[in-house]
Every structure is written in C-alpha cells, then in structure tokens.
Amino acid sequence: MSWADAFRLAARSVLRRPGRAALTVVAVALAAALFTAMLTMAATAQGRVLNQLAKGGPLAGIQVAAAAPDPSQAGVDDPTKGAPKPIDQAALDRIARIPGVDVVLPIVTAQSLVAWPGHTATGGDVVGPNNSGSVVFDQLVGIDLSRLGDFPVTLSAGRFPAPGSVTQVDVTPVLLARYGITGTRTRSVVGSQIILGAPRGFRSSDGTPVFRSRWTKATIVGVVTQQAGSGGILASLSLARASQQWTAAGDPSVDPDAGSSPYAGLFVIARGLDSVPSVRAAVEAVGYSTSAPENLIATVERYVHVVEIVLTGIGVIALAIASLGITNALLAAVRERRREIGILKAVGARDRDVLRSFLIEAGVMGALGGVIGTVLGLALARLVAAIVDGYLTSQGLAGVHVSTPYLLGIATVVGATLLAVGAGTIPARRAARLPAREAVEL
Amino acid sequence: MGIVRRDSPAPPEVPSDTHPYGVVVPSAVQAPDDDGLAVVGTDLAHRYEGPSGPVPVLLDVTFAVPRDGYAALVGPSGAGKTTLLSLIGGLERVQAGTLVVGGLDVATLEGDGLAAYRRSTVGFIFQNFGLLEALTASENVELAAVLAGERTAVRRRRTAELLDAVGMTPRADHRPGALSGGERQRVAIARALVNSPRLILADEPTGNLDADTSEEVMQLLESLRRDRGCTLMVVTHDRALAGRAAQQLVLDRGKITSTPTVTADPSVTR
C-alpha cells in the first residue's frame, strides 16, 4: 500500500469518528496554543524589557561622553564621569578604528532658547521674540535621524523629524512638563509651532556682556523619550550644528560654553553584546568615559532565559498530556476496531500496513492540532499584547510589539506531530499484531 | 512476495474406495493437480486456548478438493467449519497436519508471505460481509487491490468491472451503512474477486440474508466462479445450500464424518 493510499485510509478512519477525532485534536490544539502563546509572550516581554534597558537603542550600544573616565568606576554600567574632555573628529576616527566597533554615531548638542507662542513655562521669565511668551533655556540634541534605530530614542506620539530637516523637531516629556503638559495631553502638542533661539554672547561697546539669539521657527512633529543627550529637543544634526556653530562663534569670556567640544558625545555600536566589554575598555583607553547597560542586560537575559525554560517546560508537559490523550483514544480505537483490523489482514494487509495506518492517524491528529493550536496561541499572544500595549501607552510609555515567530510556529507543529506519532506507537503496534482471525470472530 | 513454495507433496494416500474415516473418496479427487488450485488437507488438527485449557476444534481432518471444484463444508454449529475455512484462507496458522493449496504448503507461510497468500491466492467472503464502514462500496472493492500495490488505473478499472458484474454500479458511492444485506454481500463478493484469486472461500455467505436474497447471492457466486474457473468452498449449516455444491464435506465435532459426493461439473470454464 502506497503512502498516499495509507493517508487516504487513515483520513477516512479519522473522519468516521469525527467526535472522538475532534476531541483529540482540540486537546492537542489547546496544548499547542498554550505552548505557543507562552513562548511568544515570553519573547515579547524579553524584547520589551531589553528595549527598555537599552532605552530604545541597540543592545550593544555604548554611550561615550565628552569626559575622561573615572578609574574607580571601571566595569560599572553607568559610571560617574571624570573631567570634561572634548571629542573632536580625530577622536571619533580613532574610536571608529577600534576592533569590535560596528559604527560610531556623533551627537551634537547646542544651547537653545525655546519660545512657545500661547504657552507659558514655569520659571521662564524672559520674553521671547515678538512677545511670543516666556522663554526657557534648554538643549538641542542633534543626531543622525537616518539612523534612529541605532539610538536610545523611543517615540511616544507623532513621528520623528525627517532626516536633515531644519524645521522639524521632537520634544521630550521633561520639556513639556515645564509648560504643564503631562500624561496623555503630551500628544496634543504635535503640530505646534515653537521658536528656537541659538544664543551668542558678545560684549557691547562699553564691555557689557550681551546675548543675542538667532531665532528659527520649527514644528513639533513628535514626542520622544531619549537618552542620546541631555536636552529637551531632538533635532537633526544639521540644525544642531548650525546652532552650535552660531553659539561657538561668540565671545568665550561672555559665554564659557562657546567653543566647547564639537561633539557632545558619541553613540558607539559594538558588533555584538560579547564585544561591548572590550570596546568599552578600548574607548576608555582612548580617554573617554563610557556607559552601557551590559551587566544589567546580561543579568536580565539570564533571568529571562530561566523563565523561558520554565514556560517551555510547562508547554511541553501540556503537549505530553495531550499525547497521552492520543494514546488513550487510539487504544480505545484498536479495541473497537478489532474486527475491522482483522478484515484488513484477511484481505491481505501486512502488519506494517496496519502499523502505518494507525501512525498516520496519530500524526494527522497531532499535525492538525499543532496548526490550530499555533494559530490560536499567536492570536492569544497578540490579544494579550494589545491589552498590555494599550495600558502602557495610556501611561505615556512605549508600547509592546509582537512579532510573528515563524520558527516557533513550525517547531510547534512539527513537535506536536512527532509527539502524536510517538504516542500512537503503542496502539499502532498492538493493532499490527492483531490476527486476521479477528475478522471472523463474532 | 515472500511466498514459500516447496516441492509438491505426494498426494495423500487414499484408497480408491476407503478412507481412514470411512469416507469414500472417488479417484477424481484423489490426485489433485499440483499446478492448479486444489486444496488438500491431511491430518489437520487445531485447538484454541480456553479459560480452562486447550479446546480441540479440529481432529485429524483429511480432505481434498479438486481444481475448479465446488465444495460445501456443512455441519452443526461448533463443528469446526469456520475454523477449517480460516486455516485454508490463512486467517489461522496451521498447528498440526499439512495443508496444501495449489501446491503451496500453507503451514510454512508467515508474516508478509502469509499476507500475500491472503491477498492474491484467496478471496474471502465473510458471513457479516466484512466491509469497512468508513469506505464506500467502490473503495471497499478497491481495497484489496490497493493492498496488492496495483496501479490506480488498473485497480479502478477492475473495480468498475466487478461492481458491474455484481450489479452494484449504481450504488458504488454508497457506504455499507446505506446498503441492504444482499447489496453488501454483492460488494463483498466483488472485493473477494478483485485480485483474481484462484480460491474463493465463503463463510456462511447467506447466513444473514433472507431466502430470496440468499438465492440471488448464491447464483451470483456460482456464476462468477464458473466464469473465472475458481475453486469455491462454502461453509454452511444449510443442507439445501450444501446440496448445490459438487462436493460436501460434513463435519461434526471437529471430524469429517460423512461421505463426500463429487459430481463432475462440465460448466467449469478452464
């Protein structure tokens, strides 16, 4: 009997008793759904936790500060910094050549005055241009907006500014809080116009220190939380550099911050988590302080792995229980179908034909249950993720994103099928050993 | 296929007019043709394991059915008729004695060889029809050919021909549950013939049928046997049905007890 014929015979036998087959398939499906849902949620939670630890950036990201390292803080994730030390292009190039470094991304910060027509900030007592309301001092943080995925930046409303744009910015909840805008109200600022001023210090003819600002209008296109630099405004490198250069051209005796480091910091991405310690050591040898949550990530990953092992074990136990159901169902089927098996033998079926037929029955139920369970499990994981996402975003936090774990789905279906075939082995062998005389026994 | 053939045994030594059990065995039966499908049993014995020990069912049964013969195994319930038929059909292993079917020593067969014998040499018809409820009439007929590994086109053609021969073409797509007893037995007959066996064994083929249907089924069975030139052995407790056969083997309490009568059957097609 060919495999195709064996499949047809097995399928007919399964469909002959649809109720029992359905119950068996449901048992496998529930177990597979539990397995898939738990592992998907575990992977999603792991991604969310690690993303939170990395603050939206890559796990192998290292922040380099424009400061010397503190020798007493070696090996610490977020060490205190030493004396300020400018980062210039030569230092950037030197760091980029360190083995294990994948890419070096510059961070430029610039002092900025912020005037927001129609809004009053607490502590702001300087009148803005054209009586545009009170003005606050803050920092403009400029990054390469075409590499947003590589920075510790998380969007909570709106969108990011277009790469290279000098008229679009994002603001942080910290800046908005100064205007009394908190919680879900932060979403309402998207689309607002603000006026940014780059200050420059100079001395008047009588030597009096004076500040003047170059004002530019910008549109708030999003709200972000960012750890790239200490500042409440996220903008393009172009805008930040222009502001910095304007300020840097001022009189340093009036504004000591003029002429500071061209780069406020660097964001270095190592080739992998394993390279982070060596890259950090090399950057500190160059003379700059670094910070990266490597120890915290490693600890969290260990705990998450333990959780994954436990959840996997629970899922496997559930599948094993479902497999016992298959064994029980098939043993009952063998008892009920003794005469039918005898007839098969009487018309010429070999022992292995009967064995194969029963194994296929078991495998079909396992595969069907695995497929249904995988789909159900993924749907359940997405439902839970949607609920969690809604809660997190309502709290002004970044949400969660559930990926589609194709490999997990395939593994679940294959695993359920193999378990079912294994569970069907004893009943199948018992059926194969039944004698042909069963066909004539009353 | 693993079928074990050995040199044909010498025909049982049976005097021309006497027999150890007092049975007259005419010479037409004495020397079965080893190239054909005669059935010769010698000193066959069989027992089942009962709760209080072995229970003998057959005791030193010796008989011979010629090629293309038509024999009836008749006797009261419990006489051992079905057991003897099961031995001949390979449903039971031979425990003692010899059983030669068409020159093949059935006792030496086992495993795949025995399955092949059941598949290709014998066509078995059961009292309870023996159809699989999960399959249609057509699929039941085709099953034996499927097990024989026949190509799909060949087995479907053969199935269609047989269903037509037994008058079941209009009901080919019905499951056994939707067929009457007579219709089911027709399908069972068609299945028994799908692999062109040389020996047909029918265990009480009319046991569950009314008189009219029984007559139809027996006429069908006998006509197919004549057309194909098979050897036919029928188990029955019905003396009238047994009388239709050219040869009667009477069993009682595991022994052949009565004189077999053999009539020449000029209608056999060779």
Side-chain angles (χ1 to χ4, degrees):
Chain A
M1 180 160 60
S2 68
W3 277 97
D5 290 322
F7 264 101
R8 272 191 283 271
L9 184 62
R12 285 305 185 89
S13 298
V14 169
L15 293 174
R16 179 80 178 96
R17 296 159 186 83
R20 175 185 294 167
L23 280 174
T24 308
V25 169
V26 165
V28 177
L30 287 175
L34 181 67
F35 183 83
T36 306
M38 285 198 298
L39 286 186
T40 301
M41 287 189 282
T44 302
Q46 179 187 25
R48 180 65 180 83
V49 168
L50 292 178
N51 191 51
Q52 184 68 22
L53 290 175
K55 300 183 175 60
L59 292 176
I62 303 166
Q63 286 196 296
V64 179
D70 183 346
S72 66
Q73 298 283 300
V76 176
D77 280 0
D78 190 12
T80 55
K81 300 173 182 54
K85 181 178 178 181
I87 301 176
D88 55 14
Q89 189 61 41
L92 188 152
D93 294 339
R94 194 170 161 196
I95 291 172
R97 289 193 294 270
I98 292 173
V101 170
D102 188 25
V103 66
V104 178
L105 302 170
I107 300 169
V108 176
T109 60
Q111 296 176 56
S112 184
L113 298 163
V114 182
W116 197 351
H119 294 79
T120 305
T122 54
D125 54 2
V126 175
V127 176
N130 303 321
N131 294 317
S132 56
S134 58
V135 171
V136 298
F137 284 93
D138 210 304
Q139 289 259 19
L140 196 69
V141 177
I143 61 174
D144 183 355
L145 292 173
S146 66
R147 301 290 299 258
L148 277 165
D150 294 329
F151 281 98
V153 178
T154 307
L155 184 71
S156 57
R159 61 174 177 84
F160 291 107
S165 172
V166 296
T167 59
Q168 297 176 1
V169 296
D170 283 350
V171 294
T172 65
V174 172
L175 174 64
L176 295 177
R178 299 175 69 179
Y179 289 90
I181 301 172
T182 57
T184 55
R185 290 179 56 227
T186 57
R187 299 169 187 270
S188 64
V189 306
V190 175
S192 301
Q193 290 256 321
I194 58 172
I195 306 171
L196 303 174
R200 176 187 280 182
F202 64 97
R203 292 193 181 274
S204 61
S205 55
D206 62 359
T208 306
V210 179
F211 281 92
R212 286 272 170 87
S213 296
R214 187 181 71 178
W215 297 97
T216 57
K217 284 184 181 177
T219 304
I220 299 174
V221 296
V223 180
V224 296
T225 52
Q226 63 88 16
Q227 302 292 329
S230 56
I233 304 163
L234 186 73
S236 66
L237 274 175
S238 307
L239 181 58
R241 276 201 179 108
S243 297
Q244 188 198 56
Q245 287 165 3
W246 170 264
T247 301
D251 187 339
S253 68
V254 174
D255 182 5
D257 288 334
S260 59
S261 173
Y263 297 114
L266 303 173
F267 197 73
V268 176
I269 301 172
R271 293 196 196 283
L273 275 175
D274 294 341
S275 303
V276 169
S278 61
V279 170
R280 284 190 70 186
V283 172
E284 286 168 5
V286 172
Y288 295 96
S289 174
T290 65
S291 62
E294 57 175 300
N295 294 315
L296 186 56
I297 287 173
T299 302
V300 169
E301 281 194 327
R302 274 195 290 273
Y303 282 117
V304 171
H305 191 55
V306 168
V307 171
E308 280 183 340
I309 291 172
V310 171
L311 292 181
T312 301
I314 293 172
V316 169
I317 289 170
L319 282 172
I321 292 171
S323 299
L324 288 177
I326 291 178
T327 303
N328 188 42
L330 283 177
L331 282 173
V334 170
R335 280 194 298 272
E336 290 172 6
R337 291 158 63 182
R338 294 178 73 95
R339 195 169 155 272
E340 180 183 320
I341 296 165
I343 290 168
L344 275 175
K345 293 282 190 79
V347 297
R350 296 163 297 187
D351 287 0
R352 59 177 178 273
D353 292 330
V354 176
L355 180 81
R356 184 167 47 177
S357 179
F358 272 82
L359 286 178
I360 290 173
E361 279 188 43
V364 165
M365 286 193 283
L368 201 55
V371 169
I372 295 172
T374 298
V375 172
L376 275 177
L378 289 177
L380 181 63
R382 284 184 181 278
L383 175 65
V384 171
I387 294 171
V388 171
D389 186 66
Y391 170 74
L392 288 175
T393 52
S394 71
Q395 300 297 309
L397 301 171
V400 293
H401 170 69
V402 180
S403 61
T404 304
Y406 293 109
L407 277 180
L408 175 63
I410 292 169
T412 303
V413 174
V414 171
T417 306
L418 290 177
L419 270 175
V421 170
T425 299
I426 291 175
R429 291 177 69 170
R430 191 170 291 187
R433 285 197 294 263
L434 283 177
R437 69 167 179 266
E438 294 287 340
V440 297
E441 287 184 358
L442 296 176
Chain B
M1 292 192 291
I3 296 177
V4 177
R5 290 188 180 272
R6 66 172 199 191
D7 292 340
S8 301
E13 285 196 13
V14 180
S16 61
D17 59 353
T18 59
H19 187 272
Y21 296 106
V23 171
V24 176
V25 180
S27 58
V29 177
Q30 273 188 31
D33 184 349
D34 286 339
D35 292 330
L37 207 52
V39 183
V40 179
T42 307
D43 295 332
L44 287 171
H46 200 83
R47 61 185 182 185
Y48 291 118
E49 287 302 318
S52 52
V55 177
V57 181
L58 294 177
L59 298 166
D60 298 329
V61 170
T62 296
F63 68 95
V65 177
R67 187 169 68 128
D68 301 329
Y70 179 6
L73 297 175
V74 64
S77 294
K81 307 183 298 297
T82 297
T83 300
L84 180 57
L85 206 71
S86 298
L87 285 175
I88 299 169
L91 304 187
E92 288 276 9
R93 296 294 307 275
V94 175
Q95 293 175 352
T98 60
L99 179 63
V100 179
V101 176
L104 178 65
D105 185 352
V106 178
T108 62
L109 298 177
E110 58 184 6
D112 286 1
L114 194 53
Y117 170 77
R118 291 194 293 255
R119 197 163 52 236
S120 306
T121 305
V122 175
F124 212 107
I125 300 166
F126 301 92
Q127 177 179 1
N128 292 315
F129 320 121
L131 300 179
L132 299 187
E133 298 292 331
L135 306 180
T136 64
S138 173
E139 290 166 343
N140 266 288
V141 173
E142 197 180 335
L143 178 63
V146 167
L147 293 170
E150 282 288 0
R151 286 179 292 129
T152 305
V154 170
R155 69 188 193 218
R156 286 192 178 164
R157 175 179 51 78
R158 210 180 283 170
T159 298
E161 288 170 355
L162 282 166
L163 283 173
D164 187 54
V166 301
M168 286 298 295
T169 300
R171 307 277 269 167
D173 294 331
H174 289 76
R175 289 209 161 81
L179 303 177
S180 68
E183 289 173 332
R184 289 189 217 181
Q185 200 61 290
R186 288 169 181 270
V187 173
I189 291 170
R191 182 184 66 189
L193 295 172
V194 77
N195 286 332
S196 305
R198 301 304 298 163
L199 173 63
I200 301 174
L201 305 175
D203 184 12
E204 302 271 12
T206 60
N208 289 332
L209 306 176
D210 57 55
D212 290 340
T213 309
S214 297
E215 181 63 26
E216 287 176 11
V217 167
M218 287 311 298
Q219 284 183 4
L220 174 63
L221 198 54
E222 288 160 358
S223 70
L224 287 171
R225 174 229 150 213
R226 279 195 299 272
D227 293 342
R228 290 165 177 260
C230 305
T231 301
L232 173 63
M233 295 183 69
V234 178
V235 163
T236 181
H237 61 271
D238 185 339
R239 294 279 177 165
L241 194 149
R244 301 163 73 111
Q247 176 184 7
Q248 289 95 42
L249 301 173
V250 182
L251 277 90
D252 188 15
R253 284 172 282 186
K255 295 184 179 180
I256 297 278
T257 63
S258 179
T259 303
T261 59
V262 178
T263 59
D265 191 346
S267 65
V268 168
T269 301
R270 290 181 188 265

